[in-house]
């Protein structure tokens, strides 16, 4: 399958729901084996490095990759694997935790806008302004009359970003409930991973169905031509990493960043 048709399968068509129940989180996209996947990932990550160098040198446009997903869907793993190919100068990871009192004293996009990418940068959001709909709705942190208006605000906000030169790509890591149980159990059992476990993770797991409905709605409401959502099957780490790296490369190829004109002819330095 070509990369374009693969990405078209993962993309949520504007005006349509993502149909999460009909998508298989266990699907292996982009490669049929772990070995083949690792080889492909190395190539894609190398390509990413070249394109990122051009984006940084061009310094006129930027890329924002938004990562959402249930707990243990692999957001941290994706960031580790994709960022191995990037120059730390010119990229940034921005994690969003529960808002502080100062953040809550402002509108929900206040803390988001100021950490969006500058020209030349790639920024990955590890969680994002989408928590202000999904988490707020499911945990009943505000009434529907508050979070219900945010779909429109987010569409407008992302339109502003894209109009101003930021390519916005959004990825929902689609993990199954069974695989989440395995990963959360592993976190509890492994002393090196236990720090990641919050007691709230179990409360959220109990709300699995509510989160699924909230994601079904939000992905459908906010997948636009300019800022599309991709649903990436996330039960297999390697195919998940490969798919996200591929989405990022496709976004950069679409931008086609150009190196600035050389300021000097090549000459032999004595
Ligand atoms: P983690 O990403 O696992 O470190 O967890 C961060 C936690 O912060 C998650 O439980 C998110 O749901 C929560 N969080 C992030 N942003 C918001 C927000 N705007 N409103 C409510 N909870 C949030
Ligand atoms: Mg967590």
């Amino acid at each position: 399958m070509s990369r374009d048709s693969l990405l078209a399968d993962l993309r949520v068509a504007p005006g349509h729901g993502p149909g999460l129940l009909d998508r298989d989180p266990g699907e292996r996209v982009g490669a049929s084996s772990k070995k083949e996947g690792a080889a492909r990932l190395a190539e894609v990550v190398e390509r990413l490095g070249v394109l990122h160098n051009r984006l940084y040198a061009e310094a006129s446009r930027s890329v924002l990759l938004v990562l959402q997903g249930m707990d243990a869907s692999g957001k941290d793993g994706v960031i580790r694997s994709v960022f191995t190919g990037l120059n730390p100068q010119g990229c940034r990871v921005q994690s969003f935790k529960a808002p502080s009192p100062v953040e809550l004293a402002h509108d929900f996009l206040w803390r988001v806008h100021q950490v969006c990418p500058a020209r030349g940068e790639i920024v990955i959001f590890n969680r994002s302004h989408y928590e202000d709909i999904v988490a707020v709705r499911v945990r009943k942190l505000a009434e529907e009359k508050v979070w219900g208006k945010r779909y429109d605000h987010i569409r407008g906000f992302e339109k502003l970003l894209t109009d101003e030169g930021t390519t916005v790509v959004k990825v929902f890591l689609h993990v199954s409930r069974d695989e989440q149980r395995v990963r959360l159990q592993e976190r509890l059992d492994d002393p090196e991973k236990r720090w990641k476990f919050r007691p709230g993770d179990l409360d959220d797991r109990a709300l699995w169905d509510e989160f699924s409905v909230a994601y079904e709605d939000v992905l459908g409401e906010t997948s636009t031509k300019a800022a599309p959502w991709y649903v990436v099957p996330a039960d297999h780490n390697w195919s998940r990493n490969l798919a996200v790296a591929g989405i990022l490369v496709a976004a950069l190829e679409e931008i086609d960043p150009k190196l600035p004109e050389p300021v000097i002819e090549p000459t032999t330095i004595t």
Side-chain angles (χ1 to χ4, degrees):
M1 194 192 257
S2 77
R3 188 187 69 186
D4 285 351
S5 57
L6 185 77
L7 293 189
D9 274 357
L10 301 182
R11 193 178 305 127
V12 178
H16 291 77
L20 291 177
L21 287 176
D22 298 328
R23 292 178 186 254
D24 176 10
E27 204 186 324
R28 298 166 175 81
V29 290
S32 51
S33 70
K34 193 171 176 174
K35 194 165 165 229
E36 189 197 337
R40 286 258 184 95
L41 181 64
E43 284 170 24
V44 175
V45 161
E46 193 180 329
R47 176 89 185 123
L48 196 55
V50 171
L51 292 164
H52 180 221
N53 181 54
R54 290 183 196 161
L55 185 82
Y56 186 66
E58 185 197 68
S60 70
R61 291 169 294 171
S62 60
V63 175
L64 173 62
L65 174 65
V66 171
L67 281 183
Q68 284 288 155
M70 305 277 203
D71 287 315
S73 56
K75 297 182 287 296
D76 295 337
V78 161
I79 292 169
R80 261 197 315 275
S81 105
V82 167
F83 265 42
T84 55
L86 300 181
N87 179 351
Q89 284 203 97
C91 65
R92 180 156 49 86
V93 181
Q94 199 66 51
S95 297
F96 290 91
K97 308 289 181 187
S100 69
V102 174
E103 289 167 344
L104 279 176
H106 294 79
D107 72 82
F108 77 103
L109 291 171
W110 179 76
R111 68 170 181 168
V112 179
H113 201 176
Q114 54 190 317
V115 293
C116 284
R119 299 184 199 287
E121 269 190 324
I122 296 180
V123 169
I124 300 189
F125 279 1
N126 182 354
R127 302 189 189 269
S128 65
H129 42 298
Y130 285 95
E131 296 288 325
D132 292 285
I133 295 181
V134 175
V136 167
R137 172 180 176 177
V138 174
R139 298 191 195 123
K140 299 187 170 32
L141 302 175
E143 290 176 41
E144 180 167 0
K145 68 173 195 276
V146 175
W147 59 256
K149 291 184 183 144
R150 292 181 173 172
Y151 296 114
D152 207 32
H153 293 310
I154 287 180
R155 283 188 294 259
F157 173 60
E158 293 178 353
K159 173 86 168 47
L160 161 79
L161 296 180
T162 56
D163 284 351
E164 292 282 324
T166 299
T167 292
V168 180
V169 187
K170 303 176 292 194
V171 170
F172 175 71
L173 298 177
H174 189 210
V175 73
S176 65
R177 195 164 186 271
D178 271 354
E179 181 60 23
Q180 188 199 50
R181 178 180 53 73
V182 170
R183 292 182 187 175
L184 288 178
Q185 187 69 55
E186 223 175 84
R187 274 187 193 174
L188 269 182
D189 295 344
D190 181 347
E192 292 293 327
K193 293 187 178 169
R194 201 171 299 145
W195 63 272
K196 274 196 170 193
F197 198 93
R198 291 175 310 120
D201 289 351
L202 294 181
D203 300 334
D204 282 354
R205 180 167 164 79
L207 292 168
W208 180 274
D209 291 342
E210 287 82 353
F211 271 104
S212 300
V213 169
Y215 271 118
E216 181 75 25
D217 289 349
V218 82
L219 302 185
E221 287 283 342
T222 59
S223 198
T224 58
K225 192 159 181 298
W229 273 106
Y230 293 86
V231 177
V232 168
D235 278 4
H236 298 284
N237 298 357
W238 55 272
S239 89
R240 173 201 72 201
N241 295 346
L242 180 60
V244 179
I247 289 167
L248 203 48
V249 163
L252 279 156
E253 282 178 349
E254 179 77 26
I255 299 176
D256 192 18
K258 300 278 190 299
L259 294 170
E261 287 296 319
V263 288
I264 179 169
E265 291 298 315
T267 178
T268 305
I269 299 174
T270 55

